[in-house]
Amino acid sequence: MSNERLVKLFDDLVDLLKDFIARHDLDYSEYNAAVTWLNELGQSGEVPLFTDVFLESTVNTVNFGHRPGTETAIQGPFYIEGAPLLEPPYELPCRDDQPGDVLFFSGTVTSADGRPIAGALLDLWQADGNGVYSNIDPSVPPFNMRGRFATDEQGGFEVRSVVPVSYEIPKAGPTGRLLEALGRHAHRPAHLHVTVTADGYEALTTQIYFEGDPWLDSDVAGAVKSSLVTRLVRYEDPGDYRERGLDGRYCTATFHFVLPPLDTT
Ligand code: MBD
Ligand code: FE
């Protein structure tokens, strides 16, 4: 960012806040409460959580709102680089007693004109069956439910994982306390995060949601798009799950990713 741009953005932001203070006749107790809360937000390490929940969807729309291909969604605060590179048959790293039902997530990666993209890399991360993320919650092993894997010659993939559950933002921290004070719930619908990359295409960061999730219409992060909602198909019949080599029920879900051509402008 150039110094000129920085000066312009900062001046505008301060003007905006000064105008806000004047319009609302902010008194000292309100100003001091805001300063105290912001300080706690910083000390708690929740700045990325707070900004991603309240602001990232706008950043995402401003940057990618008009892009062809699969709609984008926010990255959120919990992406970690360097997830394990998986070998087929793909399975996200999980614990022996991994909470959650087995999920087989499959699909394709194609170009906007429908050509399959072989060797596209999917970098997938998700909460586990208890709604917690590895590398964030110390009770979960590092890189649990995080992995990178490539599409096959037909642009297809299938990865074994667990069905994520809706995620609730920590309630004890400054972000959770604010939501509570506002009378808002802290839920995100269950979701898979994924970044898809392939040579010659724009990278795609998005999220996949599931039909019927009670939080689809009121995501605290405002990141749901109907084109990103897919169906979770449940298999509970022993005949079905034994065929898959499982000893309990499982689910499948499918999504077809479309990568936009490289933006050369
Ligand atoms: C999440 O899991 C998430 O995806 C976002 C965007 C914000 C908080 C928690
Ligand atoms: Fe998430």
Side-chain angles (χ1 to χ4, degrees), residues 36-225:
T36 301
W37 183 84
L38 281 168
N39 197 33
E40 286 167 7
L41 187 70
Q43 285 170 353
S44 69
E46 285 190 1
V47 170
L49 175 70
F50 177 80
T51 49
D52 288 357
V53 163
F54 288 98
L55 301 175
E56 195 193 346
S57 66
T58 303
V59 178
N60 198 256
T61 303
V62 165
N63 282 273
F64 303 132
H66 300 289
R67 225 171 63 155
T70 300
E71 283 193 282
T72 61
I74 62 178
Q75 181 182 55
F78 300 148
Y79 176 68
I80 308 279
E81 269 179 40
L85 273 168
L86 308 180
E87 296 290 337
Y90 300 130
E91 179 174 358
L92 295 188
C94 68
R95 289 163 277 174
D96 291 341
D97 57 348
Q98 183 68 45
D101 289 337
V102 172
L103 168 68
F104 291 99
F105 178 56
S106 64
T108 56
V109 179
T110 62
S111 63
D113 54 9
R115 277 177 295 126
I117 304 175
L121 196 69
L122 289 89
D123 190 341
L124 199 150
W125 72 105
Q126 63 168 94
D128 67 8
N130 292 336
V132 293
Y133 283 89
S134 61
N135 307 55
I136 304 296
D137 187 312
S139 73
V140 180
F143 290 105
N144 193 251
M145 299 284 105
R146 298 173 184 270
R148 292 181 290 164
F149 49 92
T151 53
D152 61 23
E153 285 308 306
Q154 289 77 45
F157 68 89
E158 179 181 86
V159 63
R160 178 176 163 163
S161 172
V162 298
V163 178
V165 297
S166 63
Y167 175 85
E168 195 172 20
I169 286 167
K171 289 210 180 114
T175 308
R177 282 191 283 117
L178 175 64
L179 289 167
E180 167 82 32
L182 293 168
R184 293 202 206 165
H185 74 70
H187 287 272
R188 298 213 62 223
H191 56 279
L192 305 172
H193 292 271
V194 65
T195 293
V196 187
T197 50
D199 285 345
Y201 297 89
E202 288 294 321
L204 167 71
T205 295
T206 195
Q207 300 183 27
I208 306 303
Y209 306 94
F210 305 102
E211 281 177 17
D213 190 303
W215 307 107
L216 284 176
D217 294 328
S218 64
D219 177 11
V220 66
V224 178
K225 295 171 181 176

